Amino acid sequence: MVIHLIFLLTQTLILIVLSIPSLINTSQLDYDTLVFKQCDLTDTNILQKTTKYRNYLNQSLLIRAQAVSSFLRKLESESSRSKFYKTLVGNEEHAVSGWFQCREDYPSEICHRCVGDLREISSRLCGNATSARVHLRGCHLKYEIELVGTPSAQANNHHNYKLFETPEHGLIHKICEGATAEIFAGFEEMRTEALTAAETGVVDGHGFYEDSYKLLHVVAQCDGHVKACDCGECISAAAAAAAEECRWSIAGQIYLEGCYVGYTYYPHEIPDESYHEEGTKANTGKSLAIVVGVVAALVFVGIIFMFLKSLRRKGDDC
């Protein structure tokens, strides 16, 4: 009986220890924070020009909303198997083409949750938009709607090929935050070197790069349909945009058509943790690790106590 209990306690301890890394990593991920959204709401004018009767407008909007809903459900389903997926979903009047992408270093389960949140958020924020782009911290999506009955749609077999062409790397969104870095000697040179390393890193890393360079932590990623050489060019353009748009910001995020770059400057030293930009989440991970460690220690003490107790009983029997 005692031996069996000790065996069960040992198994419990092993499971706790093995689960610590995944618990900590998951707790650190701020994947569902909205970074930005872009919704093209020019749909009403388009539909009014293409419908013969004005009272048909509401029905067309409903049909299109169903197509978008099917598209978003398809993305959420595929996110359990992939971190990038592009597709075309259509009905008798509307076709929806687009993709989702998750941050490459986030676990698959987090990717699936993130895309699930994207589905809800994009539906709520962009409604009946003809095109939408929604970025969360851990994933993003983009889609466009095309009227199937139009000549251009029929010529392209109802597929919006422009959505998947090599982008022009235009600036979509920027975030420049933190105190001025002008007082830190060599900051600009350090950032230039770090982002240059990212330009090479995304090519070697098949579209994703995360690393620390001196006092900078850098993350870069290209959209999944962007080719390797174009990916490097996009990150180079993002680095140039960071130098111009966020010149003295100690933290910045640059989103271009096709890629994004984020950097964080630590004047003293880079924290020895993953996912540096989510500082509060990292602290939560530390706290969780402490709690799990205490529980594991208590289980271990319990095992020792039961073992000693069993030895004492055997001594009493003699």
Side-chain angles (χ1 to χ4, degrees):
M1 178 68 178
V2 173
I3 295 176
H4 180 66
L5 180 59
I6 293 174
F7 176 74
L8 291 177
L9 289 173
T10 303
Q11 281 190 318
T12 302
L13 177 60
I14 293 173
L15 290 174
I16 291 175
V17 172
L18 292 177
S19 67
I20 289 176
S22 61
L23 289 172
I24 294 174
N25 288 339
T26 300
S27 70
Q28 291 177 8
L29 302 184
D30 181 15
Y31 66 88
D32 56 354
T33 298
L34 177 65
V35 179
F36 72 92
K37 67 174 179 68
Q38 292 180 342
C39 310
D40 184 355
L41 299 175
T42 60
D43 56 304
T44 301
N45 293 332
I46 295 174
L47 285 176
Q48 286 177 338
K49 292 178 181 179
T50 58
T51 52
K52 185 175 181 180
Y53 302 103
R54 186 176 295 272
N55 60 4
Y56 187 67
L57 177 61
N58 290 335
Q59 182 180 356
S60 296
L61 290 174
L62 177 60
I63 294 174
R64 191 182 64 189
Q66 292 173 343
V68 172
S69 178
S70 298
F71 168 80
L72 294 175
R73 286 198 304 270
K74 180 65 173 177
L75 295 192
E76 183 177 8
S77 173
E78 293 296 329
S79 66
S80 62
R81 295 181 286 272
S82 176
K83 293 184 180 179
F84 173 78
Y85 181 75
K86 64 180 181 180
T87 188
L88 168 73
V89 174
N91 55 34
E92 64 270 20
E93 291 194 16
H94 300 95
V96 184
S97 57
W99 74 82
F100 81 84
Q101 182 166 20
C102 292
R103 182 163 151 167
E104 186 62 34
D105 60 335
Y106 281 10
S108 297
E109 62 185 74
I110 295 299
C111 177
H112 183 58
R113 293 184 205 171
C114 191
V115 177
D117 289 340
L118 269 177
R119 172 187 170 188
E120 187 276 327
I121 291 172
S122 61
S123 297
R124 173 165 49 86
L125 296 181
C126 291
N128 287 318
T130 54
S131 65
R133 182 194 300 268
V134 181
H135 277 249
L136 304 185
R137 188 180 289 273
C139 62
H140 68 275
L141 65 77
K142 180 181 179 181
Y143 68 81
E144 292 185 6
I145 297 174
E146 185 177 353
L147 297 180
V148 173
T150 63
S152 62
Q154 293 174 353
N156 289 329
N157 194 26
H158 311 324
H159 198 300
N160 193 344
Y161 287 103
K162 291 183 179 180
L163 198 61
F164 304 116
E165 292 178 350
T166 301
E168 294 297 326
H169 309 322
L171 179 64
I172 300 171
H173 187 72
K174 66 177 180 178
I175 300 175
C176 305
E177 55 188 357
T180 177
E182 188 174 4
I183 60 175
F184 302 121
F187 169 75
E188 282 192 292
E189 293 78 4
M190 187 186 308
R191 181 177 58 191
T192 298
E193 293 170 1
L195 296 182
T196 299
E199 179 182 346
T200 304
V202 290
V203 177
D204 296 336
H206 305 288
F208 179 79
Y209 173 85
E210 181 191 19
D211 205 353
S212 298
Y213 180 86
K214 295 182 180 179
L215 299 179
L216 277 169
H217 179 253
V218 179
V219 177
Q221 187 168 13
C222 292
D223 291 338
H225 62 277
V226 176
K227 297 179 181 179
C229 56
D230 295 322
C231 180
E233 293 178 2
C234 189
I235 298 302
S236 178
E244 180 179 351
E245 303 288 342
C246 303
R247 183 176 181 184
W248 298 119
S249 299
I250 63 173
Q253 299 174 48
I254 299 294
Y255 296 83
L256 304 185
E257 285 285 356
C259 67
Y260 78 88
V261 165
Y263 72 89
T264 304
Y265 178 58
Y266 296 90
H268 305 293
E269 63 177 340
I270 296 178
D272 187 20
E273 297 166 352
S274 299
Y275 316 115
H276 301 282
E277 67 272 27
E278 291 89 29
T280 55
K281 293 294 182 178
N283 291 333
T284 303
K286 280 186 173 181
S287 301
L288 180 61
I290 293 173
V291 172
V292 173
V294 171
V295 172
L298 290 175
V299 172
F300 182 74
V301 170
I303 293 173
I304 298 298
F305 175 77
M306 294 302 297
F307 179 71
L308 293 175
K309 189 174 181 180
S310 65
L311 291 179
R312 184 180 303 172
R313 287 180 177 175
K314 287 184 178 180
D316 293 340
D317 293 340
C318 295

